[in-house]
Amino acid sequence: MMLISNMEFIPDRKVVKHLGLVQGSSVRAKHFGRDFMAGLKNMVGGELKGYTELLNESREQAVARMLEQARQAGANAVLNVRFSTSSVAAGAAEIFAYGSAVLLDDEQ
């Protein structure tokens, strides 16, 4: 099982080997139906559930791609995980996940 953490180190665990930066991203475009409903929701306020789902799916896919890269590098953990987002085109956004792939010692 791959350990994922936003911490730079794990208490009581030692980094045996640093395997480098790993990353994953997902670029998604807005769906017309979701965009239309979000426009209506803007008038009355409240959560834009369509966009929330879209971003959750993008984050999950970006993390899955980052973990696959870590597995290929031989890591058993990804530390210092961060997320970033950017607009890449009108109506499309990127979620970017990155961290340090490491090999941790065995649990004590």
Side-chain angles (χ1 to χ4, degrees), residues 79-101:
L79 303 181
N80 205 21
V81 172
R82 301 288 185 261
F83 291 93
S84 177
T85 183
S86 62
S87 177
V88 294
E94 176 189 35
I95 298 285
F96 185 64
Y98 60 99
S100 297

Side-chain angles (χ1 to χ4, degrees), residues 2-71:
M2 183 78 64
L3 178 69
I4 306 170
S5 177
N6 62 346
M7 296 173 59
E8 293 181 17
F9 62 91
I10 303 296
D12 301 326
R13 302 287 301 272
K14 182 179 177 185
V15 173
V16 176
K17 189 173 186 180
H18 181 261
L19 300 166
L21 176 72
V22 287
Q23 60 193 12
S25 70
S26 177
V27 177
R28 300 262 174 141
K30 294 187 281 187
H31 182 276
F32 173 75
R34 288 179 175 170
D35 205 33
F36 179 74
M37 295 305 291
L40 294 176
K41 193 75 171 182
N42 273 339
M43 289 188 237
V44 295
E47 182 180 12
L48 303 175
K49 292 183 179 178
Y51 288 163
T52 300
E53 290 173 14
L54 182 72
L55 291 173
N56 282 336
E57 292 167 4
S58 294
R59 261 191 302 276
E60 288 174 12
Q61 189 170 43
V63 167
R65 289 174 176 166
M66 177 185 71
L67 292 178
E68 181 56 32
Q69 195 175 37
R71 275 187 205 93

